[in-house]
């Protein structure tokens, strides 16, 4: 059996340096990262943040910092002692789904080390990830996934569909199980396996939500479930028929489509057994096979109708409309304009150019709020604020 990552040395400084820089570069404006980096160079944390706001590249002081951080990580790996602080946990409630999640807050050094581990296993991710796996994979966001569903719809591959949700996916993936699969695919790189195992020991019982390594490992394990369900077939009248037409995985949210209801039910039951046996993952029992003409496919913030039209998920639309209305009323706070700019992406994808709403009590009904005008205003405010920060830093 083929194994991966044979020639990667996680303790080699030249191997580590690019991953260290990729991790810290977009986060140097944060105080925790600037404080951490200042320990490895002659710059103060404030100077690091000011230089980051100017968008400076890898100037000499930062080169020295990245080099020193890489040397420190290399030494800890060679000594097989990572010396990491315990993970802190905080409880957060999702604004849309109202779900309460326990998020792990890792130390800056652990975040950088996990970035190094993920980078060292890039060959494994490239080989195992499937094309229709989305979330936490560069270039595979919500819109790309929705466009794929739209394409399947137009080709008639979504007559029936079923949505599955894995129960407590991250917490259910245990370290022992993870290392068993990694030893199977990276069997000949003992130092890399030790490094990943040492990082997972910091997670305790199950993977931590909010960890970069957890995201990549989750997609890695679910790629096996993807290949398994797409390989399911049955024989009818001497011909082999696939039970599932198309599959899409958005982290632990799964969409399966097909042209036959019974085949789809059979595939779901087999996949549930496979995931429980191999990974200890359970699927919430409230799944139902639905006909696409009866309801749209609600996935990744959008709804794809049976005619292939993309709509915004109702609860997302309500929050987006509220943001646009507040901006139209004169709320010019940077936070609100940033929110407007983010929600504009949903309207652009769904090709909605305007909607009607009442601005405030006493206003005439049918008052039209132009999305494009509000978006231009938001972009202008955000741009002016960015220029003001640069001038202040100078």
């Amino acid at each position: 059996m083929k194994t991966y990552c044979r020639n990667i040395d996680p303790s080699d400084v030249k191997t580590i340096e690019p991953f260290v820089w990729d991790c810290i570069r977009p986060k140097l404006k944060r105080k925790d990262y600037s404080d951490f980096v200042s320990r490895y160079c002659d710059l103060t944390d404030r100077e690091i943040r000011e230089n980051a706001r100017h968008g400076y590249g890898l100037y000499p002081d930062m080169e020295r910092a990245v080099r020193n951080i890489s040397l420190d990580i290399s030494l800890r790996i060679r000594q097989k002692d990572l010396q990491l602080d315990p993970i802190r946990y905080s409880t957060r409630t999702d604004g849309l789904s109202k779900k309460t999640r326990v998020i792990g807050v890792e130390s800056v050094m652990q975040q950088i080390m996990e970035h190094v581990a993920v980078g060292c296993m890039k060959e494994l991710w490239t080989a195992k990830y499937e094309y229709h796996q989305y979330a936490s994979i560069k270039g595979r966001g919500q819109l790309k996934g929705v466009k794929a569903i739209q394409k399947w719809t137009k080709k008639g591959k979504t007559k029936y569909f079923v949505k599955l949700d894995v129960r407590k996916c991250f917490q259910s993936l245990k370290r022992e199980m993870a290392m068993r699969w990694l030893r199977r695919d990276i069997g000949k790189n003992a130092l890399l396996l030790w490094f990943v195992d040492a990082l997972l020991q910091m997670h305790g019982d199950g993977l931590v939500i909010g960890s970069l390594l957890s995201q990549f490992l989750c997609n890695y394990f679910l790629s096996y479930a993807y290949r398994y369900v797409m390989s399911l077939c049955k024989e009818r009248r001497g011909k082999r028929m696939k039970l599932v037409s198309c599959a899409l995985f958005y982290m632990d949210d799964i969409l399966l489509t097909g042209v036959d209801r019974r085949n789809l039910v059979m595939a779901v039951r087999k996949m549930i057994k496979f995931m429980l046996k191999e990974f200890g993952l359970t699927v919430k029992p409230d799944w139902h096979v639905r006909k696409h003409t009866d309801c749209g496919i609600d996935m990744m913030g959008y709804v794809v109708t049976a005619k292939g039209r993309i709509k915004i998920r109702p609860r997302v639309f309500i929050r987006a409309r509220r943001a646009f209305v507040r901006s139209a009323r004169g709320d010019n706070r940077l936070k609100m304009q940033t929110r407007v700019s983010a929600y504009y992406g949903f309207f652009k994808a769904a090709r909605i150019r305007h909607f009607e709403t009442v601005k405030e009590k006493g206003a005439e009904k049918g008052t039209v709020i132009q999305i494009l005008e509000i978006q231009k205003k938001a972009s202008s405010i955000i741009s002016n604020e960015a220029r003001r920060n640069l001038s202040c830093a100078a």
Side-chain angles (χ1 to χ4, degrees):
M1 185 184 68
K2 183 177 180 179
T3 56
Y4 304 90
C5 311
R6 300 180 187 180
N7 302 319
I8 292 291
D9 182 4
S11 64
D12 180 50
V13 175
K14 290 185 179 180
T15 300
I16 294 173
E17 278 184 351
F19 304 136
V20 172
W21 179 238
D22 286 344
C23 179
I24 68 174
R25 179 175 52 188
K27 302 172 183 175
L28 288 174
K29 296 178 185 178
R30 287 170 39 177
K31 183 165 177 55
D32 56 345
Y33 267 81
S34 61
D35 284 343
F36 177 82
V37 173
S38 66
R39 303 174 202 164
Y40 292 88
C41 64
D42 297 330
L43 296 174
T44 65
D45 61 323
R46 183 169 183 175
E47 288 173 335
I48 291 172
R49 289 197 298 275
E50 288 178 354
N51 288 329
R53 292 191 185 99
H54 279 282
Y56 290 157
L58 196 61
Y59 45 89
D61 288 295
M62 288 305 303
E63 285 184 352
R64 192 178 307 111
V66 171
R67 180 76 175 181
N68 291 337
I69 294 171
S70 303
L71 287 168
D72 190 9
I73 294 174
S74 174
L75 181 62
R76 297 188 191 193
I77 294 175
R78 290 181 185 278
Q79 294 177 345
K80 294 192 173 182
D81 183 12
L82 298 185
Q83 306 170 28
L84 296 174
D85 297 329
I87 299 175
R88 296 180 290 107
Y89 295 92
S90 63
T91 303
R92 300 180 190 176
T93 302
D94 190 292
L96 287 175
S97 63
K98 303 303 179 182
K99 292 181 181 177
T100 301
R101 296 183 176 92
V102 179
I103 308 296
V105 183
E106 300 172 331
S107 64
V108 173
M109 177 57 87
Q110 183 165 348
Q111 293 178 39
I112 296 173
M113 284 188 177
E114 291 197 355
H115 207 99
V116 170
V118 166
C120 288
M121 292 191 288
K122 183 179 179 181
E123 184 184 352
L124 177 64
W125 314 137
T126 303
K128 294 299 181 181
Y129 286 176
E130 292 297 325
Y131 185 76
H132 289 298
Q133 279 187 272
Y134 299 86
S136 301
I137 302 175
K138 189 175 181 179
R140 303 190 198 177
Q142 295 168 277
L143 187 55
K144 186 171 183 179
V146 171
K147 294 280 181 142
I149 299 172
Q150 185 184 42
K151 184 178 179 180
W152 299 338
T153 300
K154 292 179 178 179
K155 289 185 175 181
K157 296 182 179 181
T158 59
K159 183 177 180 180
Y160 295 97
F161 72 93
V162 59
K163 284 181 59 180
L164 308 174
D165 189 8
V166 180
R167 188 194 301 274
K168 296 188 180 296
C169 182
F170 280 52
Q171 296 92 322
S172 301
L173 293 170
K174 307 300 180 184
R175 179 177 67 88
E176 295 78 10
M177 182 277 300
M179 293 311 302
R180 174 167 59 87
W181 282 86
L182 289 175
R183 289 189 190 99
R184 174 182 178 273
D185 291 329
I186 317 179
K188 298 183 180 180
N189 196 330
L191 187 59
L192 179 58
L193 287 171
W194 175 87
F195 182 37
V196 175
D197 188 32
L199 289 172
L200 291 181
Q201 285 181 19
M202 301 297 299
H203 289 217
D205 188 24
L207 301 182
V208 169
I209 299 176
S211 161
L212 181 69
L213 183 59
S214 297
Q215 297 170 18
F216 276 80
L217 286 176
C218 182
N219 277 324
Y220 162 67
F221 298 131
L222 291 178
S223 69
Y224 282 96
Y226 182 102
R227 284 187 289 276
Y228 174 79
V229 75
M230 290 302 294
S231 67
L232 294 176
C233 298
K234 76 174 185 180
E235 191 169 325
R236 185 179 183 186
R237 297 175 184 175
K239 294 183 179 180
R240 289 176 63 82
M241 296 177 57
K242 294 183 68 174
L243 301 184
V244 175
S245 298
C246 304
L248 184 145
F249 283 48
Y250 186 67
M251 195 59 79
D252 57 349
D253 290 331
I254 303 170
L255 171 69
L256 305 178
T257 71
V259 295
D260 187 280
R261 181 187 292 270
R262 289 180 297 177
N263 289 350
L264 208 50
V265 171
M266 189 187 309
V268 171
R269 289 173 178 168
K270 288 186 176 183
M271 190 180 75
I272 289 173
K273 290 180 181 178
F274 173 83
M275 293 173 67
L276 181 61
K277 178 183 176 182
E278 299 295 338
F279 307 118
L281 297 175
T282 58
V283 174
K284 293 180 181 179
D286 56 350
W287 60 271
H288 297 283
V289 175
R290 303 177 184 274
K291 199 170 184 178
H292 199 177
T293 52
D294 294 340
C295 62
I297 299 176
D298 187 342
M299 198 79 177
M300 298 176 286
Y302 298 91
V303 178
V304 182
T305 67
K307 293 183 179 180
R309 184 181 174 187
I310 298 176
K311 295 183 177 181
I312 304 175
R313 180 181 288 167
R315 64 172 179 256
V316 175
F317 176 81
I318 290 172
R319 294 172 70 91
R321 181 177 61 183
R322 186 180 300 141
F324 276 89
V325 169
R326 288 176 178 173
S327 178
R329 288 176 179 174
D331 188 342
N332 294 327
R333 292 176 300 161
L334 180 63
K335 181 179 179 180
M336 182 57 63
Q337 302 310 315
T338 305
R339 188 179 301 174
V340 164
S341 186
Y343 279 125
Y344 175 71
F346 285 93
F347 290 100
K348 187 177 179 181
R351 297 183 179 180
I352 297 176
R353 289 293 178 265
H354 69 275
F355 60 89
E356 295 183 356
T357 184
V358 177
K359 284 186 179 181
E360 55 187 349
K361 290 183 179 179
E364 286 186 27
K365 291 185 177 180
T367 303
V368 176
I369 292 181
Q370 296 292 338
I371 288 178
L372 289 176
E373 293 179 4
I374 299 175
Q375 165 60 16
K376 289 178 182 177
K377 170 190 166 187
S379 298
S380 177
I381 292 175
I382 293 171
S383 178
N384 291 337
E385 183 67 18
R387 282 197 293 268
R388 189 181 69 81
N389 289 338
L390 285 177
S391 62
C392 290

